[in-house]
Amino acid sequence: SIGQVHEAKLTPAYGGDTVAVKVMHPNAENLFRNDFKVFRTLCKVALPGWDPILRELEMQMMTEFDYINEARNLKRVRENMAQSPYANKVKVPEPMIELCSKNLL
């Protein structure tokens, strides 16, 4: 896991509600990059034809390290779910994009 979720309370300026806050572990992105670099090096020796697949996988995985992007995607899912026949059965959190950062959702 690259992050951990905590319970928090917003300041009165933001409504004072209790919310879930997702915080990225310090240095998670660098650790992943280093681990993936080792993995790619090993695969170059054992599975040289996999390099294009690994590049694509790495690109996709790196999107996980941007919580602002994740908040935008979550907002889109929430809006789409509101139009769904399952809207009353599935609850999608509402991200407060203005409070998000690359490392905080």
Side-chain angles (χ1 to χ4, degrees):
S1 172
I2 66 166
Q4 190 170 15
V5 177
H6 301 274
E7 184 178 312
K9 186 170 177 119
L10 294 172
T11 64
Y14 288 98
D17 294 331
T18 299
V19 296
V21 177
K22 185 176 178 181
V23 181
M24 191 178 302
H25 290 295
N27 212 24
E29 186 174 349
N30 287 336
L31 290 171
F32 173 81
R33 284 182 188 275
N34 288 337
D35 287 350
F36 206 84
K37 189 176 183 180
V38 169
F39 180 65
R40 282 184 57 194
T41 301
L42 290 171
C43 283
K44 280 183 181 178
V45 173
L47 302 163
W50 281 42
D51 194 53
I53 296 166
L54 293 176
R55 285 182 195 277
E56 179 64 26
L57 179 61
E58 182 179 19
M59 238 174 35
Q60 293 301 317
M61 292 297 294
M62 292 310 297
T63 65
E64 296 295 318
F65 294 99
D66 183 355
Y67 284 175
I68 293 173
N69 188 51
E70 186 172 335
R72 288 185 189 118
N73 289 337
L74 183 58
K75 183 179 180 207
R76 193 173 310 122
V77 168
R78 182 180 168 85
E79 290 166 355
N80 290 339
M81 186 56 71
Q83 312 293 321
S84 164
Y86 302 104
N88 62 344
K89 296 178 182 176
V90 177
K91 187 166 186 165
V92 179
E94 181 178 0
M96 299 184 74
I97 294 176
E98 68 276 12
L99 298 179
C100 295
S101 71
K102 187 177 186 310
N103 301 316
L104 181 74
L105 171 63

